[in-house]
Amino acid sequence: MSNFIVIGFCFLFGILIRTKGKFPADSHKVINSFIISVSLPCMEFGPLRHASLDGNFLTFAAMPWVLFGSGFLFFSFFGKLLNWKESTIICLCLSAGLGNTSFLGIPLIESYYSKEGLPTVLIIDQLGTFLTLAIPGTYLGTKARHTLQSSETKSSLWKTLFTFPPFIALLVSLASRPISVPPELESAISRIGDTLIPLALFSVGYQLPGTIRINSKEPNAENPKRESDDSFRIRIPLLFGLVFKLIIGPALIWLCFGTFFHYSEKNVGENFLRNFKILIMESAMAPMITGSLLAAEWGLSPRLAVSLVGIGIPLSFLTTLGLYYLLENQAWTGTIFFGQ
């Protein structure tokens, strides 16, 4: 429950401070830079050092990779069909191709399936969502950012990737697994990483009032009037992103992993059914806050990125509730895909 209160307060504080004009208009850029350069690398360190690597859990950890890959194909297909910019497609991949599997996932799963389901959530988040964002997500984002730069400011794509703080943190975390780190140091790094979620939520709330400036004449609008009269430039990708993340994506995960477990020998153990339901629920979480902030920081349709999170989080409370009811109360869901 405390996490939900934090979500509400941080969103509210961001919106109020932006509307009251207490901070400079571009304050979110400084906050986002701190998140990406400090909070996110510190948040990665402990979980990636201590994540367990056994067979069944690794299968669950594959879910975000499958979801991200499906999202990439989905958004690339419709992006080309509807003539979207590459920045819009990659923004959708980073935001709606990944879920908020920790900050929203943990309290929701704990509410629905008790604390006994949290180890499954942590594996999905640490070995799945985190690594997907850090490896293919970072590569696609830096590649799209690279194409947006002018020829005078372009640097090597690989140099950009390997100097990106979260990617460096990923390499350091994995390389340090055999090394003993003083508990005090690891605890201090973890506490710095804890700043990510409040700051990220505040940043999203701070930027939300600006998302309505579509087709406006303001110079910092996502779709200035002088560039286009098409008011659907953001709304259509936003609709596609939310529909994929909250409906189509979870349905694909249910079908793919349900079929896999049904025809494999991995559906063993007394907690398998519960863990499989948690897997489906995690795939239906709201668009990823960190991925959205990365897209915004890189200039990849920032208004779209913020809108996906700002609208997707409250909407996901309703869609995950409906999915939970479907998983628990409809008899047909237990016939094939749960191995019963």
Side-chain angles (χ1 to χ4, degrees):
M1 180 61 69
S2 62
N3 280 359
F4 299 141
I5 297 175
V6 170
I7 290 172
F9 275 134
C10 288
F11 268 130
L12 181 62
F13 289 152
I15 294 171
L16 288 177
I17 290 176
R18 178 62 176 269
T19 54
K20 296 299 181 180
K22 298 299 183 182
F23 285 13
D26 59 352
S27 295
H28 61 278
K29 295 181 180 179
V30 177
I31 298 172
N32 292 350
S33 295
F34 181 86
I35 291 170
I36 293 168
S37 300
V38 180
S39 301
L40 180 56
C42 290
M43 190 179 191
E44 289 182 24
F45 186 70
L48 292 179
R49 272 179 49 82
H50 299 295
S52 67
L53 305 172
D54 66 20
N56 245 343
F57 277 154
L58 284 177
T59 304
F60 287 125
M63 183 274 289
W65 294 80
V66 175
L67 185 65
F68 184 82
S70 301
F72 177 76
L73 295 176
F74 180 85
F75 297 130
S76 296
F77 174 78
F78 284 103
K80 292 179 180 178
L81 189 66
L82 300 175
N83 200 28
W84 295 343
K85 291 183 177 180
E86 181 187 14
S87 58
T88 299
I89 296 173
I90 301 304
C91 172
L92 288 167
C93 291
L94 293 175
S95 304
L98 291 168
N100 205 325
T101 52
S102 59
F103 196 69
L104 285 180
I106 288 174
L108 282 175
I109 296 303
E110 185 176 351
S111 299
Y112 290 134
Y113 294 104
S114 79
K115 290 185 177 180
E116 295 179 357
L118 294 186
T120 305
V121 174
L122 293 174
I123 289 297
I124 292 172
D125 181 62
Q126 294 165 17
L127 295 182
T129 305
F130 244 3
L131 287 181
T132 308
L133 177 65
I135 300 175
T138 299
Y139 173 77
L140 289 176
T142 52
K143 183 174 181 291
R145 180 190 182 189
H146 192 256
T147 61
L148 291 176
Q149 294 175 331
S150 64
S151 57
E152 293 81 6
T153 60
K154 274 188 179 179
S155 58
S156 167
L157 171 61
W158 294 108
K159 180 181 178 182
T160 303
L161 179 61
F162 281 97
T163 56
F164 182 53
F167 192 78
I168 295 173
L170 167 70
L171 300 178
V172 171
S173 301
L174 296 178
S176 68
R177 285 174 66 95
I179 303 173
S180 177
V181 175
E184 296 80 5
L185 175 61
E186 191 164 327
S187 176
I189 293 174
S190 176
R191 292 185 66 182
I192 296 173
D194 290 341
T195 62
L196 186 147
I197 296 301
L199 287 176
L201 290 166
F202 177 88
S203 177
V204 170
Y206 189 82
Q207 295 174 77
L208 273 178
T211 61
I212 63 173
R213 291 196 285 266
I214 300 174
N215 278 338
S216 77
K217 296 181 180 179
E218 299 185 35
N220 64 338
E222 174 68 15
N223 186 24
K225 187 74 172 178
R226 64 182 180 273
E227 291 185 8
S228 173
D229 290 327
D230 182 8
S231 63
F232 296 101
R233 183 175 173 184
I234 292 177
R235 296 174 186 174
I236 296 299
L238 176 63
L239 176 63
F240 272 77
L242 292 175
V243 169
F244 176 83
K245 185 65 201 70
L246 301 178
I247 301 175
I248 297 176
L252 287 174
I253 293 299
W254 190 340
L255 178 63
C256 292
F257 280 81
T259 303
F260 171 76
F261 283 121
H262 179 69
Y263 290 105
S264 71
E265 297 180 355
K266 291 185 177 294
N267 54 339
V268 293
E270 57 179 338
N271 296 323
F272 169 77
L273 178 58
R274 182 199 66 199
N275 289 339
F276 183 74
K277 292 178 180 179
I278 291 173
L279 177 80
I280 306 304
M281 290 288 290
E282 281 284 81
S283 72
M285 294 299 159
M288 188 184 190
I289 293 177
T290 310
S292 297
L293 286 181
L294 284 176
E297 179 69 11
W298 286 333
L300 307 175
S301 299
R303 302 291 185 195
L304 173 61
V306 174
S307 299
L308 283 164
V309 174
I311 298 174
I313 286 179
L315 192 58
S316 69
F317 289 123
L318 297 177
T319 56
T320 52
L321 178 62
L323 180 61
Y324 174 75
Y325 177 83
L326 187 66
L327 289 168
E328 296 296 325
N329 296 287
Q330 297 299 315
W332 62 268
T333 61
T335 56
I336 298 176
F337 297 122
F338 291 159
Q340 292 182 335

